[in-house]
């Protein structure tokens, strides 16, 4: 009875609180509304007038931001309510969008703040728009900074609703403040084991797939636009480059809703890895691709004709920007790993966490300062940090950094989605064209199909663990669009084409997030995709199914094999405390360097350090690790050493083979003894409880 | 041998790394230097030119911010080194200032970027400086926002170093972004037990003391300024209001260095509480006081004559803004407490932490939007959150929120102090006047003395636990100035007076942080202040010294007593899950409300919930708590119930009395049984190990 009372009172209380929040939201909006400045005494000192204006502007900005904070708070409370009641049809991002929509409606139709006619229009003769303007007002000089261009109709529209302009953010806010934490967190939380196991496929989907999707959508949209022109439905210019640009921005998937549901229901880890990995990387590809398309500038008068040189240049820009951002991101991750390895910062978690945060942030700034793309750099920085630096952190710092970026990601993501909903009503240059929108939906659908199905077919030729057709259908369905697409679309809305694309993008995002996201659970059951899969069981079943699967197709894992050896033998020992020690693996000429770089713990750790999202761990009985003259071999019977083998500590191909199959087998490491669950001859334990866990 | 190798290699590695960071810092500075834009093709489309300008500006901003990030990184590494070597003479803030200074020297004398002569000066005829300017450039409209006023000499100075202007932040950044986390963290981490025990003294120092200090410094500076005028040393106007303003801003103490050392060395908790509490509150007082002084505007032509009405108005503004900010801060804290109490958000730590963060941030925005002072509001919000909301959070969220704000505080504080050092060389309107500076040092010293000594004397008349003279000397010495003083000084540097004050403030901060902060350890031993004090031992000694101390002086704790009863019996049960249940303490007419507000756990918790920085916990044997007809009495022999007493659960004055003395005794709560260490008649255990800890 007490429990029921508690639940009822909690429910009533929650309703009350939600009402309170809605009320306070309205109050805030009224505060913003009543912002007509009070009549101040006219003072002879003009700088006081300037100060007051600045102060009012500041108060208004605070009120605007407050609206968003209240929106987010309301979203959080509702999310809790949904989780409490296990309501899976509306995920947090869809919910945030919905609330944004509500507030947008209120702001648009409920409140009207006439334009402040105190804005003076100067008709001065200047040749270009300088970045800074010094205005001489009766002997005093005032500095003005360029905010942006205003379209002519906005200037003349005296019925303009000032309120709407005020809640509009500078689009660069998304790329400079909101997207970096989201992208970094995505990189930092990549489940590396499954990611690396599916690396080839993920790269294929992310690179080839995004480009395919971009061009397919671009071509289809171009056809649609031509048709619209014929039918007189087109009100302005819309070139092929614009279509390609649309294809690029709308190819960035963001299945955050789907992945959250996958996580909750514990769906197949490979599917999760494919979807997550693809979405993380294709964001990066889409950003750089869209920049390259924008940078397409042929020499002639018409900047929209096809020109080989310009196209090569664009392609070169794509490669250059991507590799540069990649390099910077990885470099910063490497530096952080080295710093955390060689200092005893682990003793001071606050310093360690602060350093980690600053170094990750500096990646972004460095990439932006050098003219590359910050979000791509932070992605690869995140992956590098997760792969190397994470192992060097103290356990508390590992938790702290995870939690910090998880929080930032949560706030930024819900902020963007709220803003998306809001923008549907507050953006004043929408161009709503039903034909274009229908065409876009079709193109997006077909573009996704052209991405998934052909590539899956090709990948399955090489993959050991085929991507089944139900997985393909799920991936097709789970191509939700989100934050990145929106940010890319809103970045520049100066032209007719861009405005139409922006409006259409909003609808695409709304549809995919609400309909596809909401229908995920149904789709899972419809496609008969297993849920509640424990990652270990998954493997035991696949192993039981046949040991012939273990026979490696050399090509499928070749690239990965090379990477794995290099990473295991050189990179990890350099950047973390793991073994094998470099003094053993590097040639003798690099002796002093090897000694400098080798951590004392590397001599003790015959194997890589324990990782929560542990990477592929060598588990196999045939591992031979050599330190100097001693060879340590391990198999199920225990560790035994023998002398003098010259084998220098690299894993054999059979080991790797088995590893790819048994990827999830764990290793127990007690001190420096390796206790291995099995060797090749014995079938693994089928009872998961006997499986030794790390 | 391995250990020595490790230490040596760590030291070498650290040196190498510091060198690397310094090198990269120089590289960054060179990147900024080489920012002369490349010759772009002239395109017919002006918006491309605008975009490129915007892009370059963005790259420059990224590079500038990167300089600061690198500075902070370097600071962190050096802090670690100092901690590693137990070097206590230069604390992190002093170190950050020093590095800022270095970079400032490099930027000022090492790099020269000539002013971009692309800035156009328009001589347009306008009556006032509007907030937004629309400039018509060949048919296109560009929007410019008012950045601020530029003094005439800056305009004409073509040798102006553009680099310096670029690394100068808008002063509002401090109040809107950097100070709130610092102030909130200060409020959130107030050690409430000791704070409340010394509440009267802290309030006296913070309010009366700051006002005294402000006026003493103002008067002394006015005398100094008059003298300077006589000697022809004064180059511009300097009114009494300016002197008072200086007094206000320089009265805000920030003994972060001293407190860090106190913490490390475990100095007397009362001294810590007095110093910390004073510094936290006098920041708030100084902000509002300085705003009130600025708002002093008499009616006549001369805005600097004394006028009673204007002074009353200023005083009214002070009261109004302070109470308004206080109310808003407390209100938001209360709302957060209620939300966390009535929802089961504890099950979802991410949601809980996010909500906590957003609500705390919203305080700031709400206060700013309503025209109050955001930093004062966040202070009281932090205190409220720590006192109530903290108890409702899950243990993980308690840690997460603490760590989050600790990190933000750390980053913001070191950023401000770095910037302080930088500004000494990058600020272009310094007015270095040795006479004023010397006068200021004297005034600050005397102002601090006038604050501490008379008030301590008066307080000691009423305090049971006198503030000893060595404590007073230490408090005198520990009056460091820091972030708040700097932020208030840099907020407005338009006039001659303000510029001179800013330069002087910098020197005051440098001196106090480096000299007084560095000399803290010596001062502690010089004043024979005990270190390594365990808070329990502290009490046992004071108890052993004499039970006559327990006799209460009614006046000294009267205010506190009232507050304590109200808080214990009403506020805590409303806002947290602690008992006694409101159904017992509220009159019967409020029955339904009481039932609604009482948490089920309140019926179980006969006492307040366990707190790490636990508040005064009723520990005494004479507690009678009544639920309905049952009276639960507790004493050292255990819990026993008896029926029918009408005593309604409030603590007796004797209990409170003992509590004030034994403030640090803890209570062990196992389930719902109260196990108390002692009752009044028995002397407490003197062995700290037998003391039951929570």
């Amino acid at each position: 009875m007490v429990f029921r009372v508690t639940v009822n009172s909690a429910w009533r209380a929650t309703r009350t609180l939600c009402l309170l929040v809605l009320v306070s939201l309205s109050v805030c909006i009224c505060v913003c509304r009543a912002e007509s400045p009070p009549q101040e005494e006219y003072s002879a000192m003009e700088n006081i007038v300037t100060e007051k204006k600045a102060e009012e502007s500041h108060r208004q900005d605070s009120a605007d931001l407050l609206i968003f904070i209240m929106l987010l708070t309301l979203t959080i409370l509702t999310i809790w309510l949904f989780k409490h009641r296990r309501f899976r049809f509306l995920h947090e991002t869809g919910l945030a969008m919905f609330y944004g929509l509500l507030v947008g409606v209120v702001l648009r139709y409920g409140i009207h703040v006439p334009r402040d006619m105190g804005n003076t229009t100067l008709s001065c003769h200047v040749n270009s728009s300088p970045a800074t303007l010094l205005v001489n007002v009766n002997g005093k000089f005032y500095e003005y900074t360029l905010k942006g261009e205003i379209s002519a109709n906005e200037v003349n529209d005296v019925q303009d609703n000032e309120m709407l302009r005020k809640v509009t953010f500078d689009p660069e806010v998304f790329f400079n403040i909101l997207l970096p934490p989201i992208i970094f967190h995505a990189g930092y939380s990549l489940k590396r084991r499954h990611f690396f196991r599916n690396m080839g496929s993920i790269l294929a989907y992310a690179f080839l797939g995004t480009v395919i999707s971009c061009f397919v959508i671009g071509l289809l949209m171009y056809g649609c636009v031509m048709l619209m022109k014929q039918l007189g439905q087109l009100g302005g210019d819309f070139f092929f480059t614009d279509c390609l640009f649309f294809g690029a921005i709308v190819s960035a998937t963001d299945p955050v809703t789907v992945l959250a549901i996958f996580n909750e229901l514990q769906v197949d880890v490979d599917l999760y890895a494919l979807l997550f990995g693809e979405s993380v990387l294709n964001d990066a590809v889409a950003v750089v691709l869209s920049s390259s398309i924008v940078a397409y500038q042929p020499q002639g008068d018409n900047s929209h004709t096809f020109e080989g040189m310009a196209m090569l240049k664009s392609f070169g820009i794509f490669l250059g920007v991507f590799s540069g951002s990649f390099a910077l991101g990885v470099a910063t991750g490497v530096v952080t790993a080295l710093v955390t390895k060689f200092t005893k910062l682990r003793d001071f978690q606050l310093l360690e966490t602060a350093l980690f945060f600053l170094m990750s942030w500096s990646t972004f700034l460095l990439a932006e300062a050098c003219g590359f793309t910050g979000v791509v750099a932070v992605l690869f920085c995140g992956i590098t940090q997760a792969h190397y630096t994470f192992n060097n952190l103290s356990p508390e710092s590992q938790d702290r950094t995870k939690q910090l970026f998880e929080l930032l990601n949560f706030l930024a993501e819900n902020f963007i989605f709220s803003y998306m909903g809001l923008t549907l009503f507050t953006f004043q240059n929408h161009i709503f064209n039903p034909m274009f929108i229908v065409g876009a939906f079709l193109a997006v659908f077909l573009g996704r199909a052209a991405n998934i199905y052909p590539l899956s077919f090709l990948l399955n030729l090489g993959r050991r663990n085929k991507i089944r057709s139900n997985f393909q259908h799920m991936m097709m369905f789970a191509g939700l669009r989100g934050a990145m697409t929106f940010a890319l679309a809103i970045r520049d809305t100066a032209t007719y084409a861009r405005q139409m694309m922006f409006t259409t993008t909003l609808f695409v995002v709304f549809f995919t997030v609400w309909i596809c996201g909401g229908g995920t659970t149904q789709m899972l059951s419809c496609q008969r995709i297993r849920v509640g899969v424990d990652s270990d069981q998954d493997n035991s079943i696949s192993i039981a199914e046949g040991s012939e699967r273990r026979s490696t197709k050399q090509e499928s894992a070749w690239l990965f094999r090379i990477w794995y050896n290099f990473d295991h033998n050189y990179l990890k020992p350099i950047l973390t405390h793991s073994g094998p020690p470099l003094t053993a693996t590097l040639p003798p000429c690099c002796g002093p360097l090897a000694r400098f770089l080798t951590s004392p713990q590397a001599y003790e750790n015959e194997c890589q350090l324990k990782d929560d999202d542990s990477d592929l761990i060598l588990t196999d009985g045939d591992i031979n690790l050599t330190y100097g003259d001693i060879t340590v071999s391990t198999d199920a019977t225990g560790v035994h050493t023998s002398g003098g083998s010259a084998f220098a500590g690299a894993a054999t191909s059979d080991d790797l083979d088995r590893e790819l199959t048994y990827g999830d087998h764990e290793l127990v490491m007690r001190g420096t003894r390796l206790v291995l669950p099995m060797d090749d001859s014995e079938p693994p334990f089928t009872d998961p409880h006997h499986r030794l866990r790390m």
Side-chain angles (χ1 to χ4, degrees), chain A residues 282-332:
Chain A
N282 79 8
D283 281 355
V285 175
V287 172
V288 187
L289 192 57
S290 61
S291 306
S292 315
I293 290 168
V294 166
Y296 177 80
Q297 274 165 35
Q299 297 282 348
D301 289 331
N302 186 353
S303 69
H304 296 283
T305 53
F306 177 77
E307 198 185 280
M309 277 307 293
M311 185 153 147
L312 276 180
K313 187 182 170 196
S314 278
F315 184 66
I317 287 174
F318 175 86
L319 281 183
V321 170
F322 201 94
S323 353
S325 309
F326 173 84
L328 278 176
V330 169
T332 321

Side-chain angles (χ1 to χ4, degrees), chain A residues 265-269 529-538:
Chain A
L265 298 178
Q266 284 184 299
V267 168
D268 189 282
V269 287
I529 292 174
R530 280 178 313 161
V531 297
V533 172
D534 181 17
S535 59
D536 296 320
Q537 280 178 5
D538 187 30

Side-chain angles (χ1 to χ4, degrees), chain A residues 247-289:
Chain A
I249 66 175
V250 99
S251 299
T253 58
D254 188 7
V256 61
T257 306
V258 174
L259 292 172
I261 295 175
F262 279 15
N263 219 7
E264 241 180 87
L265 298 178
Q266 284 184 299
V267 168
D268 189 282
V269 287
D270 277 324
L271 181 59
Y272 185 98
L274 287 171
L275 214 54
F276 187 37
E278 182 211 0
S279 80
V280 159
L281 285 177
N282 79 8
D283 281 355
V285 175
V287 172
V288 187
L289 192 57

Side-chain angles (χ1 to χ4, degrees), chain A residues 435-452:
Chain A
M435 207 172 154
F436 189 86
I437 292 175
V438 169
F441 271 70
L442 258 160
V444 164
F445 179 80
L446 291 172
R448 184 74 180 157
N451 173 355
I452 296 297

Side-chain angles (χ1 to χ4, degrees), chain A residues 287-525:
Chain A
V287 172
V288 187
L289 192 57
S290 61
S291 306
S292 315
I293 290 168
V294 166
Y296 177 80
Q297 274 165 35
Q299 297 282 348
D301 289 331
N302 186 353
S303 69
H304 296 283
T305 53
F306 177 77
E307 198 185 280
M309 277 307 293
M311 185 153 147
L312 276 180
K313 187 182 170 196
S314 278
F315 184 66
I317 287 174
F318 175 86
L319 281 183
V321 170
F322 201 94
S323 353
S325 309
F326 173 84
L328 278 176
V330 169
T332 321
V334 161
V335 168
T336 318
L338 289 172
V339 170
T340 47
K341 176 181 175 182
F342 286 113
T343 62
K344 288 239 181 305
L345 270 174
R346 326 171 46 106
D347 300 334
F348 304 101
Q349 284 87 40
L350 176 62
L351 296 182
E352 206 175 18
T353 314
L355 185 88
F356 186 94
F357 176 78
L358 289 175
M359 297 295 295
S360 307
W361 188 10
S362 73
T363 313
F364 176 80
L365 295 171
L366 192 58
E368 291 288 319
C370 296
F372 296 117
T373 307
V375 288
V376 178
V378 294
L379 170 65
F380 292 106
C381 179
I383 295 176
T384 316
Q385 303 272 44
H387 197 56
Y388 301 111
T389 314
F390 190 80
N391 303 321
N392 298 340
L393 299 177
S394 60
E396 295 84 8
S397 294
Q398 288 176 348
D399 287 338
R400 285 195 194 200
T401 50
K402 266 195 203 171
Q403 289 159 10
L404 173 68
F405 286 105
E406 191 186 30
L407 179 70
L408 293 177
N409 171 65
F410 177 81
L411 292 174
E413 202 165 56
N414 284 294
F415 188 97
I416 291 189
F417 279 90
S418 301
Y419 190 75
M420 260 191 246
L422 195 81
T423 317
L424 187 66
F425 292 102
T426 61
F427 186 72
Q428 304 199 62
N429 295 321
H430 279 304
I431 294 173
F432 180 78
N433 191 319
M435 207 172 154
F436 189 86
I437 292 175
V438 169
F441 271 70
L442 258 160
V444 164
F445 179 80
L446 291 172
R448 184 74 180 157
N451 173 355
I452 296 297
Y453 294 112
L455 278 180
S456 304
F457 174 74
L458 289 171
L459 288 168
N460 278 342
L461 297 177
R463 275 177 72 100
R464 202 179 321 124
N465 187 15
K466 312 281 178 205
I467 304 170
R468 299 191 286 271
S469 59
N470 58 352
F471 276 25
Q472 294 178 35
H473 297 321
M474 193 66 221
M475 286 183 71
M476 171 75 197
F477 184 80
L480 276 52
R481 271 56 177 186
M484 181 58 82
T485 306
F486 173 77
L488 286 169
I490 203 177
R491 199 173 206 180
D492 178 5
T493 48
T495 67
Y496 173 87
R498 292 289 179 88
Q499 288 159 9
M500 195 154 76
M501 284 194 273
F502 176 66
T503 311
T504 310
T505 305
L506 276 182
F507 281 101
V508 170
V509 173
F510 289 161
F511 179 85
T512 53
V513 171
W514 283 334
I515 308 301
C516 300
T520 304
T521 330
Q522 274 76 2
M523 190 65 175
L524 281 172
S525 49

Side-chain angles (χ1 to χ4, degrees), chain A residues 220-241:
Chain A
L220 286 169
M221 289 317 293
Y222 190 60
C224 176
V225 158
M226 288 296 108
L227 182 63
M228 281 164 64
K229 216 171 192 172
Q230 293 294 324
L231 296 175
Q233 288 275 333
L234 202 66
D237 288 330
F238 208 112
F239 301 107
F240 183 60
T241 40

